[in-house]
Amino acid sequence: MDATRRQLLWAGGALGTTALLGACGGDDPAPAARSNGSEKPRRGGTLRVGALGRASAVTRDPHGVQANESDYLIIALVYDTLTAPGAKPNTAPRLATRWTSSKDLRTWRFTIAEGATFHDGSPVTADDLVWSLKRLRNTQSGASRMPGVAARNIRPYGRNGVELVSDYPNAELPQLVRLSTFILKRGTPEKEIHQSPGTGPFKLDWYRGGNARLVRNDAWHGGEVLLDAIEVRLFESPQALSNALLAGQLDLASNVGAVAARTAERRKDIQVVRRRDDMPLPIVMRTADGPFADPRVREALRLAVDREAMVEQALSGYGVVGNDIMGTGDPAYDRSLPQRVRDLDRARKLLAEADFDLSRTYELVTTEDVAALAESATLFASQVREAGVKVKVVKRDSTVFYDDVWLKGDLYTTYWGTNDSVVFFASKTLSADAAQNEAGWRDAPFDAAYRKAMRTADASERATLLRELQKIQHERSGYLLWGVADGIDLAAAPVRGLPKLPGYGRVQLERAWLAR
Amino acid sequence: MAGSLRGAARQPVTPAERPRADRPAPDAGASERGAPGGLARAGSAAARLAGLLARRAVLLAVLLALVFGAVELLPGDAADATAERGESAADIEARRHLLGLDRPVLERFADWMAALPTGDLGTSARGESVAALLSTPFPNTLLLGGLALLVTVAVSLALGCWAALRPGGAVDRAVSGSATAVLAVPEFVVAVALVLVFSQWAGWLPAVTIADAAGTPASWDMLVLPVFALAIPQIGWNTRIVRAALADEATAPHVETAVIDGLPRHRVLSHHLLPGALPAIAAGLATSTGMLLGGAVVVETIFNYPGVGSVLAGAVTDRDGPLIAGVVALTGAVISGVLLLADLVRAKASGGRG
């Protein structure tokens, strides 16, 4: 409740700032992207980064629950995961440079970089890998972070490798371990976990209350790091984060959002970095039962929504329209499927065919957890009204929402921080037995395609199956994905080499450098 | 209250309207205090102090009980609020048990209160020691609030006296008018405006506070805008109180006598007006202490100031009872202390006439 008030306040303040700045700004066009490839990367300098988080929720355990973006940023620069998000393919090497699978796609072997060492100089061994991954697996959320791999099935492989045996064939295991498989030094006592040396591109200089200073690791296995240091600062509100960057107190405001970008577009000395396909903001229509169980009704709502207008108004244009398939950043995302566009006549016809009760008012439950979510709900309600469907938006406190509505409600908004994998959503939210099946969707042909894809080693054959899976989702799942928000960072003019990846790829700052 | 005081202040002072003509001059009170029987008085003063302290402590305990109750009334609890998305109901239940949230609220409150005298503020919903979580933010907030209070005292006294020296003049009207205007403006509006003007347009001051390795503001100039964002609305309020209290006091016979005796205006102000107006001014400032600490929640968020305000806001989101109660206990103790001080000032200034 208080959080809602606080968020309103930030929003109010941010709007005020924007309006006033807008009024006094010039009419210069937005600055062009500055980083031109011909510049020679320069060594040295300290990058001052601001990231969002709450002082009350700081966590330092790399295998803990990192609610703060600032904490995850610090951890991801000090420690290395086995694999990491990439552009194409979406799984890139990190501490592991090679991985191979058995024929049945159940046993996966990861070999780590030759000569990789911890910050204290000791080499990384198979025992460190096994110890760290078992520790991760045994945390509360271990089951979803190491899907299908029991702790006893994590074994050493050779001198500097690890073997993971999955309970079922899983062609995408390397992709599913990209985010949390941080490698620590074996035997670190629980009380000293945050002091365990890492293997990452930066070493921890100091940490205090969510803020930290990191210095270059000259011995990083991943190549030369150019920056001398990175200073990470925790910010409670996007508005303060944006103000700090505009005032020159930061070089990078990570994931600061569209409101800040609008303010900064007029400033020639600020780069607006748009990371495409960052966050899907779908509306979930329950398929298992209730008023939206009839696929014709869901199709009608998908046709009633004006996607372009949603992106323009809810996201201030910082995003792209969706085609009701989750995971738009995946190289395997099927762009050949026809884009669904608004068709009110057909929507009305489908509703009539399905005998949908137009006299009732349906509740759409939303939260203010992320920017634009509640706004999208309001816009949706007014748009489907034109097809004769009466929708009332109900805002809920986050805690209440996750208790009472999520995974249960008939109609609600949701969002995901990962969007570069169609398989991720198939396994997490779409297959019948998925733990977080948001719409209660059970579709036998979809499940069959998904399971087959997971058993298929051949890349082109798997791509065909993934297209099949997307086609079914496009046709009849419980998702109405009207659009995907850009991830937006603001950076000072001299910053180069910033990550362009969506989602958690935003933390890959090891290639950044300063042209000054 | 301010309205009626100002009403009195605007009245022309005529001998017929002296409301407190029977009041003894402060000097008389002073000589009384020096009279035999001082020991007995000291004893009763100590008893009174102890009584005041006890009353404040009881009030604080009631407040803390209310806080625990209020957190209980919020939908959901800390186990839900700190759950990772998709965590199973069994895991959440296990953490609920670990946090002791499955015990009755009264029992949890009693345990928490029992540990309080030892300085143990309990454990947060994320398993951190509350005392450790607050050890850096709380002194930071005290620094911010203390500086804001100092600025408020200095500026409102100066403005109030300046206006009172020329009642009804242009200065008086300007000061009283703008004081009314700023006291009506919420802190966050002041804060956003200050950032716009002094940081983003003029570029003179930093827009936010950045903490250093010690967890404190990295440079002094980062404190300027947050201090003024907090102080400006309070300056408005206190200037009016100072102005009104002085005007009230100006009607007292000893002041009129001093004026008739031809004493210089500043001497009348410092020796005759201010001592009598002090209780009202102290009460006003004591009220402001609470407002300053309350306003800090908002101001700290806007300036990213590393204080308890941001911790508190997050703790409410997390339904983190012990952390919320820890913040309330510390700030409540400070506010109680200041209120007590104001009571003592009033008691001393009125010389036991109260």
Side-chain angles (χ1 to χ4, degrees):
Chain A
M1 265 173 226
D2 206 70
T4 312
R5 223 193 72 211
R6 194 162 49 112
Q7 281 156 4
L8 275 176
L9 210 134
W10 297 341
L15 284 177
T17 314
T18 313
L20 283 163
L21 277 183
C24 73
D27 290 318
D28 306 309
R34 265 152 238 275
S35 26
N36 73 52
S38 63
E39 272 179 303
K40 193 176 171 304
R42 209 176 292 176
R43 197 178 155 96
T46 296
L47 185 75
R48 300 164 300 164
V49 187
L52 294 170
R54 286 190 284 123
S56 63
V58 294
T59 32
R60 298 194 60 190
D61 184 347
H63 301 150
V65 176
Q66 291 106 24
N68 291 341
E69 294 186 12
S70 52
D71 291 334
Y72 188 77
L73 176 64
I74 294 166
I75 290 167
L77 290 170
V78 173
Y79 302 93
D80 280 320
T81 42
L82 284 182
T83 58
K88 203 172 179 172
N90 56 9
T91 305
R94 188 75 178 189
L95 188 59
T97 46
R98 282 178 292 132
W99 49 90
T100 55
S101 73
S102 61
K103 261 213 157 67
D104 65 357
L105 294 173
R106 284 187 52 209
T107 304
W108 285 87
R109 288 169 173 171
F110 295 81
T111 309
I112 63 160
E114 198 57 46
T117 55
F118 284 106
H119 294 156
D120 65 359
S122 59
V124 186
T125 67
D127 292 342
D128 296 312
L129 301 174
V130 171
W131 186 85
S132 301
L133 296 180
K134 279 193 169 166
R135 180 173 186 272
L136 172 68
R137 181 60 186 81
N138 288 327
T139 58
Q140 253 169 30
S141 19
S144 68
R145 288 167 166 189
M146 301 282 291
V149 182
R152 65 173 187 284
N153 290 331
I154 300 168
R155 306 172 192 139
Y157 165 63
R159 184 176 42 85
N160 61 346
V162 65
E163 182 178 270
L164 309 178
V165 183
S166 168
D167 295 342
Y168 45 83
N170 192 345
E172 298 284 352
L173 191 67
Q175 190 238 99
L176 297 171
V177 297
R178 293 179 304 172
L179 303 181
S180 312
T181 49
F182 293 107
I183 303 304
L184 281 54
K185 198 160 175 166
R186 71 177 176 280
T188 307
E190 281 301 306
K191 280 210 176 305
E192 292 161 27
I193 276 301
H194 57 276
Q195 290 166 10
S196 168
T199 60
F202 289 88
K203 300 190 257 194
L204 189 66
D205 179 12
W206 57 258
Y207 177 98
R208 181 124 192 184
N211 301 314
R213 182 182 157 84
L214 316 172
V215 294
R216 176 176 52 225
N217 173 14
D218 283 309
W220 192 45
H221 59 85
E224 192 192 5
V225 180
L226 293 166
L227 291 167
D228 287 339
I230 292 184
E231 289 180 0
V232 180
R233 294 293 180 272
L234 177 151
F235 280 79
E236 295 265 338
S237 82
Q239 190 203 342
L241 178 54
S242 143
N243 283 344
L245 186 104
L246 295 176
Q249 292 179 268
L250 292 175
D251 303 306
L252 175 65
S254 177
N255 214 17
V256 65
V259 175
R262 276 209 313 258
T263 312
E265 288 288 4
R266 294 172 176 278
R267 291 266 304 258
K268 283 187 164 166
D269 55 337
I270 306 286
Q271 310 178 58
V272 177
V273 181
R274 295 173 70 161
R275 292 177 287 102
R276 290 284 185 192
D277 295 312
D278 187 60
M279 184 179 278
L281 301 163
I283 289 167
V284 176
M285 304 172 285
R286 186 161 181 82
T287 62
D289 44 45
F292 308 100
D294 188 326
R296 287 170 297 185
V297 173
R298 301 202 296 274
E299 175 71 9
L301 289 184
R302 290 196 189 102
L303 292 169
V305 70
D306 183 345
R307 294 158 198 255
E308 302 279 349
M310 291 279 271
V311 169
E312 211 43 56
Q313 293 166 36
L315 301 178
S316 309
Y318 292 94
V320 288
V321 295
N323 200 20
D324 307 315
I325 300 166
M326 303 284 280
T328 59
D330 195 330
Y333 178 70
D334 189 355
R335 294 183 191 280
S336 66
L337 284 169
Q339 170 65 50
R340 214 176 244 119
V341 291
R342 196 177 206 200
D343 186 343
L344 287 175
D345 290 337
R346 207 169 123 61
R348 283 194 202 97
K349 207 168 137 244
L350 282 165
L351 289 170
E353 274 174 25
D355 213 12
F356 186 70
D357 185 357
L358 291 175
S359 65
R360 255 186 73 188
T361 298
Y362 300 90
E363 287 195 347
L364 168 58
V365 189
T366 188
T367 65
E368 293 190 331
D369 285 4
V370 294
L373 201 59
E375 292 82 347
S376 74
T378 309
L379 278 167
F380 173 81
S382 70
Q383 289 179 356
V384 296
R385 181 89 214 204
E386 292 176 49
V389 181
K390 290 195 281 271
V391 168
K392 189 179 130 216
V393 175
V394 181
K395 248 180 246 177
R396 287 267 183 270
D397 180 271
S398 182
T399 307
V400 179
F401 174 84
Y402 281 105
D403 255 10
D404 301 346
V405 181
W406 191 54
L407 309 182
K408 300 181 195 116
D410 288 334
L411 191 65
Y412 62 89
T413 62
T414 186
Y415 62 93
W416 284 88
T418 296
N419 183 41
D420 63 350
S421 162
V422 293
V423 168
F424 171 85
F425 287 102
S427 72
K428 286 250 177 191
T429 75
L430 287 161
S431 56
D433 51 359
Q436 298 157 41
N437 193 330
E438 295 189 304
W441 196 46
R442 304 184 78 86
D443 192 289
F446 179 90
D447 289 354
Y450 165 61
R451 275 197 297 269
K452 194 152 178 230
M454 289 303 93
R455 288 197 300 267
T456 304
D458 181 72
S460 78
E461 206 178 314
R462 193 160 77 236
T464 311
L465 288 162
L466 292 182
R467 273 199 298 278
E468 171 65 18
L469 181 150
Q470 293 178 62
K471 189 160 165 286
I472 300 173
Q473 189 188 346
H474 177 74
E475 255 170 46
R476 51 182 189 256
S477 87
Y479 284 119
L480 187 166
L481 180 61
W482 53 268
V484 181
D486 292 345
I488 295 169
D489 307 327
L490 298 186
V495 186
R496 303 284 187 275
L498 288 173
K500 294 276 193 292
L501 291 175
Y504 292 98
R506 65 173 173 267
V507 300
Q508 296 175 2
L509 294 177
E510 60 275 358
R511 303 276 176 241
W513 55 282
L514 293 165
R516 67 175 168 218
Chain B
M1 179 187 115
S4 65
L5 275 175
R6 196 181 66 164
R10 286 277 160 90
Q11 308 260 321
V13 179
T14 59
E17 280 183 277
R18 282 175 200 164
R20 291 198 237 152
D22 56 341
R23 201 174 124 175
D27 288 348
S31 61
E32 256 178 44
R33 276 197 294 278
L39 263 179
R41 277 177 174 279
S44 84
R48 255 179 72 193
L49 183 63
L52 278 174
L53 270 172
R55 210 164 61 205
R56 296 276 174 221
V58 169
L59 270 176
L60 193 56
V62 171
L63 179 67
L64 288 168
L66 284 176
V67 166
F68 261 81
V71 175
E72 199 64 16
L73 289 178
L74 288 174
D77 64 14
D80 290 322
T82 58
E84 194 177 16
R85 194 165 161 171
E87 209 172 311
S88 74
D91 285 343
I92 293 176
E93 201 48 54
R95 216 184 31 250
R96 182 166 292 131
H97 180 70
L98 199 70
L99 293 171
L101 293 171
D102 47 359
R103 294 185 303 147
V105 62
L106 271 178
E107 202 181 307
R108 277 181 281 138
F109 177 64
D111 280 359
W112 191 85
M113 284 302 280
L116 189 58
T118 66
D120 179 2
L121 296 175
T123 307
S124 82
R126 291 173 195 276
E128 309 271 326
S129 144
V130 170
L133 272 177
L134 298 177
S135 64
T136 318
F138 187 63
N140 283 345
T141 295
L142 279 190
L143 176 69
L144 179 65
L147 285 173
L149 187 64
L150 274 182
V151 169
T152 304
V153 170
V155 177
S156 51
L157 270 181
L159 288 178
C161 291
W162 192 25
L165 283 176
R166 295 164 189 78
V171 168
D172 187 21
R173 285 203 304 275
V175 167
S176 300
S178 30
T180 313
V182 296
L183 90 85
V185 184
E187 287 99 349
F188 84 88
V189 175
V190 178
V192 169
L194 286 175
V195 170
L196 263 183
V197 174
F198 292 100
S199 174
Q200 300 198 348
W201 290 350
W204 291 335
L205 290 163
V208 302
T209 306
I210 286 185
D212 59 15
T216 49
S219 72
W220 67 268
D221 59 353
M222 292 172 176
L223 279 161
V224 177
L225 291 184
V227 162
F228 276 90
L230 269 181
I232 285 173
Q234 299 311 319
I235 288 172
W237 165 250
N238 286 291
T239 302
R240 299 208 30 179
I241 289 187
V242 170
R243 169 72 187 88
L246 289 176
D248 216 22
E249 196 61 24
T251 63
H254 71 277
V255 176
E256 296 215 321
T257 314
V259 173
I260 291 165
D261 285 352
L263 289 177
R265 267 203 299 204
H266 64 265
R267 195 180 158 76
V268 177
L269 183 70
S270 60
H271 282 69
H272 299 267
L273 274 174
L274 272 177
L278 204 56
I281 295 172
L285 286 167
T287 318
S288 281
T289 312
M291 306 288 284
L292 284 171
L293 289 175
V297 176
V298 172
V299 168
E300 286 179 3
T301 303
I302 291 174
F303 290 100
N304 207 48
Y305 189 86
V308 286
S310 49
V311 176
L312 182 63
V316 172
T317 313
D318 284 347
R319 314 288 190 259
D320 196 338
L323 188 50
I324 299 172
V327 173
V328 172
L330 291 177
T331 49
V334 169
I335 293 170
S336 297
V338 174
L339 287 176
L340 185 68
L341 207 65
D343 283 351
L344 293 178
V345 166
R346 191 160 45 211
K348 186 162 168 62
S350 56
R353 279 176 281 119

